[in-house]
Amino acid sequence: MTLKVYFEKQMRNVLRELGYSCDNPIVTISNRPEISDYQSNIAMSLAKVARKAPVQIAQDIVALLEKNSDFSKVSVDGPGFVNVSFSDEFLSQMPRFDKFSNKRIVIDYGGPNIAKEMHVGHLRSAIIGESIKRTMKFCGDEVIGDVHFGDWGTPIGMLIAQLQSEQSDLFSTESNINSFSMTIAEISDLYRRASARFKSDDDFKEQARIATFDLQKGNQLYRKLWKILRDKSVDSVKENYDKLDVIFDMWLGESDTNDLLSVVVDELLDKKIAQHSNGAIIVPMPDVNGKERAPLILKKSDGAYTYAATDLATIKQRQSDFSPDVILYVVDARQREHFEQVFTVARLGSFVDENVALEHIAFGTVNGTDGKPFKTRDGNVMNLKDLINLSEEKAAENIADNNVDDELQKQIRQIAIGSLKFQDLKNLRTSNYIFDTENFTKSEGKTGAYIQYAVARINSILEKVGQLNDPKKIKISHVLEREVMLQLHRFSEYLQQSYINREPSVLCDYLYGLSQKFSSLYAELPVNGEQNDELRNSRIFLLSLVKNTLEKGLNLLGIEAPERMSRRKI
């Protein structure tokens, strides 16, 4: 039971005793920590119904709460806020965490397109999705993560058409296709050339359309070429995800639903949900507040299926394979309307059970200092591999030791990836943010390195300590010890908030706050140097609790904590 839940329970008991019917006592962490730990504004909500002044209701509540010895201070503040502070005795008990969910969840994140090098724009989906997945697993859910490649639409037809014009002999024999080889950089350059032609050349656009249709219909040479391009792209993607410690349970893509596409469209036609329109197959969307909406196109007039069709087929497939309680899509906020339409049609077509939640976990963009998508100095969007290298260079600048051995290189990598992730995850998921190329790896301020350094400092302290008996309680002898224990007890509250809102930034705020409180305690109070054995042992165990909680929280963000950090003074 968290502190918040405990206070809520006591409030319900008191309100019941006072004759009020109230399920939600509106309890929050106090916004004035110098006055209290938690507060409730329920008195203001009850005032109108009870026909009493909020202050009077709050005073009645406080009079009963004061009988509970678990609270050291209970008071009324302002127009009727009920404030409580927990006793040191209550806070000195060891914090605990209980799993609180038991759902089966499919989470779709990553979503890179084949034939393109991953760039900074792919970062957010990967690391937000990974953190949400880890958090849900930690809270008790069974979670299946799927990368869901973009590997089956018009872009593939564009590549085939471009190769037909550049290497016409390639398609003359199957052996030529089998011996075809390109690096991911070469494939990306090929795609850029194809994309430029697609925008300006109608004849090329028609060739790409035909190639896409033939690929989806089973053209053997196209399928062999597609597999070569896909395998090379997947290898490149896995290399980047390995560096980011992003792990998927399934490496599926749009192509894996190809056999279901006609089934899905036919079912929607049979149910009169979809209809033919100028050679295409569409689902009309109902107006919203009198505003006309564009239809959802399932099959284009050229015979090729759309992303909407593959998304619907994927939902149907996931329902059949996993019977999930929730399906999450961690995708750019600009795709909001697409998912609103797909989810609507999925339910109309009964492709998913009624009780299954479909959620679009939208996120903003990564921008440069000019407010536009983050780019390199030459004006191109920075690819992810170069961004990771940049992060490692910045992390190395803050390392005091110039002799970089394997252990130090591992430390640099952990700091670089941790800093890169934390700079992203600390921002509200739905907001755009500016990528800081100068300060994100520094171990001061709200950075991943700051929290990693707190863990490293505690490791250094604990290395000097012999074996101690684990106390059942921490002895609180100073206000700084109390603040650390209060923050430790709040881990479950922040975790639940992060879980419910699908919001990793909540965990970032918590870990930064805990690191700050540890730093204040460490600066003010002796630990190994404490002369009183009971206090010394208590503080050592307090620090071990902090370390374990920081490591646990960082892991939920997908960040490793180095055992030690060789830091250059900044």
Side-chain angles (χ1 to χ4, degrees), residues 339-355:
F339 282 106
E340 286 176 356
Q341 292 182 321
V342 167
F343 294 166
T344 297
V345 176
R347 295 201 183 281
L348 289 172
S350 299
F351 297 149
V352 66
D353 290 349
E354 289 182 4
N355 60 344

PDB file of all heavy atoms in Angstrom, residues 339-355:
ATOM      1  N   PHE A 339      -4.918   6.547 -37.083  1.00  0.00           N
ATOM      2  CA  PHE A 339      -5.258   5.522 -36.097  1.00  0.00           C
ATOM      3  C   PHE A 339      -6.694   5.653 -35.610  1.00  0.00           C
ATOM      4  O   PHE A 339      -7.341   4.642 -35.308  1.00  0.00           O
ATOM      5  CB  PHE A 339      -4.266   5.550 -34.931  1.00  0.00           C
ATOM      6  CG  PHE A 339      -2.962   4.890 -35.263  1.00  0.00           C
ATOM      7  CD1 PHE A 339      -1.824   5.636 -35.495  1.00  0.00           C
ATOM      8  CD2 PHE A 339      -2.881   3.516 -35.386  1.00  0.00           C
ATOM      9  CE1 PHE A 339      -0.626   5.026 -35.836  1.00  0.00           C
ATOM     10  CE2 PHE A 339      -1.690   2.891 -35.723  1.00  0.00           C
ATOM     11  CZ  PHE A 339      -0.559   3.649 -35.950  1.00  0.00           C
ATOM     12  N   GLU A 340      -7.200   6.858 -35.525  1.00  0.00           N
ATOM     13  CA  GLU A 340      -8.612   7.023 -35.163  1.00  0.00           C
ATOM     14  C   GLU A 340      -9.489   6.288 -36.175  1.00  0.00           C
ATOM     15  O   GLU A 340     -10.449   5.592 -35.801  1.00  0.00           O
ATOM     16  CB  GLU A 340      -8.980   8.512 -35.124  1.00  0.00           C
ATOM     17  CG  GLU A 340      -8.431   9.249 -33.910  1.00  0.00           C
ATOM     18  CD  GLU A 340      -8.732  10.739 -33.969  1.00  0.00           C
ATOM     19  OE1 GLU A 340      -9.300  11.193 -34.995  1.00  0.00           O
ATOM     20  OE2 GLU A 340      -8.409  11.449 -32.990  1.00  0.00           O
ATOM     21  N   GLN A 341      -9.164   6.440 -37.452  1.00  0.00           N
ATOM     22  CA  GLN A 341      -9.949   5.777 -38.497  1.00  0.00           C
ATOM     23  C   GLN A 341      -9.770   4.262 -38.455  1.00  0.00           C
ATOM     24  O   GLN A 341     -10.747   3.504 -38.548  1.00  0.00           O
ATOM     25  CB  GLN A 341      -9.540   6.325 -39.871  1.00  0.00           C
ATOM     26  CG  GLN A 341      -9.927   7.769 -40.103  1.00  0.00           C
ATOM     27  CD  GLN A 341      -9.542   8.237 -41.497  1.00  0.00           C
ATOM     28  OE1 GLN A 341      -8.486   7.893 -42.012  1.00  0.00           O
ATOM     29  NE2 GLN A 341     -10.398   9.031 -42.113  1.00  0.00           N
ATOM     30  N   VAL A 342      -8.532   3.811 -38.335  1.00  0.00           N
ATOM     31  CA  VAL A 342      -8.263   2.365 -38.311  1.00  0.00           C
ATOM     32  C   VAL A 342      -8.954   1.701 -37.122  1.00  0.00           C
ATOM     33  O   VAL A 342      -9.579   0.637 -37.260  1.00  0.00           O
ATOM     34  CB  VAL A 342      -6.741   2.103 -38.282  1.00  0.00           C
ATOM     35  CG1 VAL A 342      -6.449   0.639 -37.926  1.00  0.00           C
ATOM     36  CG2 VAL A 342      -6.112   2.438 -39.625  1.00  0.00           C
ATOM     37  N   PHE A 343      -8.880   2.325 -35.948  1.00  0.00           N
ATOM     38  CA  PHE A 343      -9.515   1.747 -34.764  1.00  0.00           C
ATOM     39  C   PHE A 343     -11.036   1.690 -34.936  1.00  0.00           C
ATOM     40  O   PHE A 343     -11.685   0.716 -34.538  1.00  0.00           O
ATOM     41  CB  PHE A 343      -9.175   2.555 -33.514  1.00  0.00           C
ATOM     42  CG  PHE A 343      -7.715   2.508 -33.119  1.00  0.00           C
ATOM     43  CD1 PHE A 343      -7.196   3.403 -32.193  1.00  0.00           C
ATOM     44  CD2 PHE A 343      -6.847   1.571 -33.675  1.00  0.00           C
ATOM     45  CE1 PHE A 343      -5.864   3.364 -31.819  1.00  0.00           C
ATOM     46  CE2 PHE A 343      -5.501   1.524 -33.315  1.00  0.00           C
ATOM     47  CZ  PHE A 343      -5.020   2.428 -32.380  1.00  0.00           C
ATOM     48  N   THR A 344     -11.591   2.752 -35.526  1.00  0.00           N
ATOM     49  CA  THR A 344     -13.039   2.785 -35.759  1.00  0.00           C
ATOM     50  C   THR A 344     -13.465   1.632 -36.662  1.00  0.00           C
ATOM     51  O   THR A 344     -14.431   0.905 -36.374  1.00  0.00           O
ATOM     52  CB  THR A 344     -13.450   4.123 -36.395  1.00  0.00           C
ATOM     53  OG1 THR A 344     -13.159   5.197 -35.489  1.00  0.00           O
ATOM     54  CG2 THR A 344     -14.936   4.142 -36.717  1.00  0.00           C
ATOM     55  N   VAL A 345     -12.737   1.435 -37.751  1.00  0.00           N
ATOM     56  CA  VAL A 345     -13.086   0.390 -38.710  1.00  0.00           C
ATOM     57  C   VAL A 345     -12.834  -0.994 -38.117  1.00  0.00           C
ATOM     58  O   VAL A 345     -13.603  -1.938 -38.350  1.00  0.00           O
ATOM     59  CB  VAL A 345     -12.310   0.580 -40.024  1.00  0.00           C
ATOM     60  CG1 VAL A 345     -12.589  -0.573 -40.995  1.00  0.00           C
ATOM     61  CG2 VAL A 345     -12.676   1.908 -40.677  1.00  0.00           C
ATOM     62  N   ALA A 346     -11.780  -1.138 -37.332  1.00  0.00           N
ATOM     63  CA  ALA A 346     -11.489  -2.429 -36.689  1.00  0.00           C
ATOM     64  C   ALA A 346     -12.644  -2.864 -35.797  1.00  0.00           C
ATOM     65  O   ALA A 346     -12.998  -4.047 -35.745  1.00  0.00           O
ATOM     66  CB  ALA A 346     -10.198  -2.341 -35.888  1.00  0.00           C
ATOM     67  N   ARG A 347     -13.248  -1.913 -35.110  1.00  0.00           N
ATOM     68  CA  ARG A 347     -14.375  -2.242 -34.236  1.00  0.00           C
ATOM     69  C   ARG A 347     -15.643  -2.491 -35.052  1.00  0.00           C
ATOM     70  O   ARG A 347     -16.412  -3.408 -34.743  1.00  0.00           O
ATOM     71  CB  ARG A 347     -14.593  -1.127 -33.217  1.00  0.00           C
ATOM     72  CG  ARG A 347     -13.417  -0.981 -32.254  1.00  0.00           C
ATOM     73  CD  ARG A 347     -13.798  -0.279 -30.982  1.00  0.00           C
ATOM     74  NE  ARG A 347     -12.648  -0.098 -30.114  1.00  0.00           N
ATOM     75  CZ  ARG A 347     -12.133  -1.054 -29.338  1.00  0.00           C
ATOM     76  NH1 ARG A 347     -12.650  -2.259 -29.331  1.00  0.00           N
ATOM     77  NH2 ARG A 347     -11.088  -0.795 -28.554  1.00  0.00           N
ATOM     78  N   LEU A 348     -15.860  -1.695 -36.092  1.00  0.00           N
ATOM     79  CA  LEU A 348     -17.022  -1.921 -36.952  1.00  0.00           C
ATOM     80  C   LEU A 348     -16.966  -3.307 -37.594  1.00  0.00           C
ATOM     81  O   LEU A 348     -17.986  -3.988 -37.734  1.00  0.00           O
ATOM     82  CB  LEU A 348     -17.089  -0.851 -38.046  1.00  0.00           C
ATOM     83  CG  LEU A 348     -17.476   0.572 -37.602  1.00  0.00           C
ATOM     84  CD1 LEU A 348     -17.310   1.538 -38.761  1.00  0.00           C
ATOM     85  CD2 LEU A 348     -18.912   0.597 -37.082  1.00  0.00           C
ATOM     86  N   GLY A 349     -15.749  -3.718 -37.971  1.00  0.00           N
ATOM     87  CA  GLY A 349     -15.573  -5.015 -38.615  1.00  0.00           C
ATOM     88  C   GLY A 349     -15.434  -6.172 -37.659  1.00  0.00           C
ATOM     89  O   GLY A 349     -15.271  -7.320 -38.090  1.00  0.00           O
ATOM     90  N   SER A 350     -15.466  -5.885 -36.351  1.00  0.00           N
ATOM     91  CA  SER A 350     -15.304  -6.916 -35.303  1.00  0.00           C
ATOM     92  C   SER A 350     -13.995  -7.687 -35.470  1.00  0.00           C
ATOM     93  O   SER A 350     -13.928  -8.896 -35.235  1.00  0.00           O
ATOM     94  CB  SER A 350     -16.490  -7.897 -35.324  1.00  0.00           C
ATOM     95  OG  SER A 350     -17.696  -7.219 -35.070  1.00  0.00           O
ATOM     96  N   PHE A 351     -12.938  -6.967 -35.863  1.00  0.00           N
ATOM     97  CA  PHE A 351     -11.618  -7.592 -35.982  1.00  0.00           C
ATOM     98  C   PHE A 351     -10.949  -7.736 -34.626  1.00  0.00           C
ATOM     99  O   PHE A 351      -9.924  -8.410 -34.500  1.00  0.00           O
ATOM    100  CB  PHE A 351     -10.729  -6.770 -36.909  1.00  0.00           C
ATOM    101  CG  PHE A 351     -11.234  -6.696 -38.324  1.00  0.00           C
ATOM    102  CD1 PHE A 351     -10.999  -5.579 -39.106  1.00  0.00           C
ATOM    103  CD2 PHE A 351     -11.936  -7.746 -38.888  1.00  0.00           C
ATOM    104  CE1 PHE A 351     -11.457  -5.505 -40.406  1.00  0.00           C
ATOM    105  CE2 PHE A 351     -12.403  -7.688 -40.183  1.00  0.00           C
ATOM    106  CZ  PHE A 351     -12.171  -6.559 -40.946  1.00  0.00           C
ATOM    107  N   VAL A 352     -11.524  -7.083 -33.623  1.00  0.00           N
ATOM    108  CA  VAL A 352     -10.976  -7.134 -32.275  1.00  0.00           C
ATOM    109  C   VAL A 352     -12.149  -7.245 -31.304  1.00  0.00           C
ATOM    110  O   VAL A 352     -13.234  -6.708 -31.552  1.00  0.00           O
ATOM    111  CB  VAL A 352     -10.120  -5.872 -31.993  1.00  0.00           C
ATOM    112  CG1 VAL A 352     -10.966  -4.612 -31.979  1.00  0.00           C
ATOM    113  CG2 VAL A 352      -9.342  -6.001 -30.706  1.00  0.00           C
ATOM    114  N   ASP A 353     -11.967  -7.978 -30.213  1.00  0.00           N
ATOM    115  CA  ASP A 353     -13.036  -8.123 -29.232  1.00  0.00           C
ATOM    116  C   ASP A 353     -13.430  -6.776 -28.641  1.00  0.00           C
ATOM    117  O   ASP A 353     -12.602  -5.857 -28.541  1.00  0.00           O
ATOM    118  CB  ASP A 353     -12.597  -9.062 -28.111  1.00  0.00           C
ATOM    119  CG  ASP A 353     -12.475 -10.508 -28.580  1.00  0.00           C
ATOM    120  OD1 ASP A 353     -12.929 -10.800 -29.707  1.00  0.00           O
ATOM    121  OD2 ASP A 353     -11.924 -11.331 -27.822  1.00  0.00           O
ATOM    122  N   GLU A 354     -14.660  -6.673 -28.203  1.00  0.00           N
ATOM    123  CA  GLU A 354     -15.185  -5.404 -27.697  1.00  0.00           C
ATOM    124  C   GLU A 354     -14.399  -4.862 -26.507  1.00  0.00           C
ATOM    125  O   GLU A 354     -14.257  -3.653 -26.341  1.00  0.00           O
ATOM    126  CB  GLU A 354     -16.655  -5.581 -27.285  1.00  0.00           C
ATOM    127  CG  GLU A 354     -17.606  -5.772 -28.458  1.00  0.00           C
ATOM    128  CD  GLU A 354     -19.040  -5.885 -27.994  1.00  0.00           C
ATOM    129  OE1 GLU A 354     -19.284  -5.731 -26.768  1.00  0.00           O
ATOM    130  OE2 GLU A 354     -19.915  -6.128 -28.850  1.00  0.00           O
ATOM    131  N   ASN A 355     -13.918  -5.778 -25.662  1.00  0.00           N
ATOM    132  CA  ASN A 355     -13.252  -5.337 -24.434  1.00  0.00           C
ATOM    133  C   ASN A 355     -11.756  -5.056 -24.624  1.00  0.00           C
ATOM    134  O   ASN A 355     -11.058  -4.729 -23.670  1.00  0.00           O
ATOM    135  CB  ASN A 355     -13.423  -6.384 -23.332  1.00  0.00           C
ATOM    136  CG  ASN A 355     -12.839  -7.738 -23.720  1.00  0.00           C
ATOM    137  OD1 ASN A 355     -12.580  -7.990 -24.895  1.00  0.00           O
ATOM    138  ND2 ASN A 355     -12.630  -8.600 -22.731  1.00  0.00           N
TER     139      ASN A 355
END
